[in-house]
Amino acid sequence: RDGVVHRYDLATGAEIHRYQAVREIRDVKVSPDGRSVALTSVQNGVVEIRDLDSGKLRTSLTDGGTGFFRASWSSDGRVLLVGGDD
């Protein structure tokens, strides 16, 4: 609920990285190439595309406030589909 994204090493269980993102994250999807992550938020109707390693914001998309629930990358990672209440 606080919008903090945690990234872990599954072999060791150690946290690799954490960063603040959108609030009320509903969905997290890693791109097929493993370079980006899409974070959807219901609270403020935002999708953030961030660099997976650094957490740096690449771009942000908004739907006008109704909220996104799910995201899905195309197999080549060039298209992101998002869906919400509307």
Side-chain angles (χ1 to χ4, degrees):
R1 292 182 187 255
D2 62 1
V4 176
V5 176
H6 303 267
R7 188 170 167 216
Y8 293 93
D9 180 322
L10 294 179
T12 66
E15 186 174 71
I16 298 170
H17 189 69
R18 81 169 54 185
Y19 53 87
Q20 182 70 39
V22 295
R23 296 204 53 208
E24 295 286 329
I25 296 169
R26 293 291 187 195
D27 198 22
V28 177
K29 290 290 178 8
V30 176
S31 64
D33 64 7
R35 294 182 182 171
S36 301
V37 60
L39 307 162
T40 62
S41 172
V42 172
Q43 183 180 25
N44 56 6
V46 171
V47 173
E48 289 184 353
I49 310 298
R50 292 184 170 264
D51 181 87
L52 185 62
D53 290 329
S54 70
K56 182 179 176 184
L57 182 65
R58 290 188 174 176
T59 191
S60 180
L61 311 167
T62 184
D63 73 346
T66 58
F68 292 119
F69 281 91
R70 299 279 183 256
S72 183
W73 292 94
S74 63
S75 60
D76 64 4
R78 297 182 67 200
V79 175
L80 181 69
L81 303 172
V82 292
D85 279 344
D86 293 342

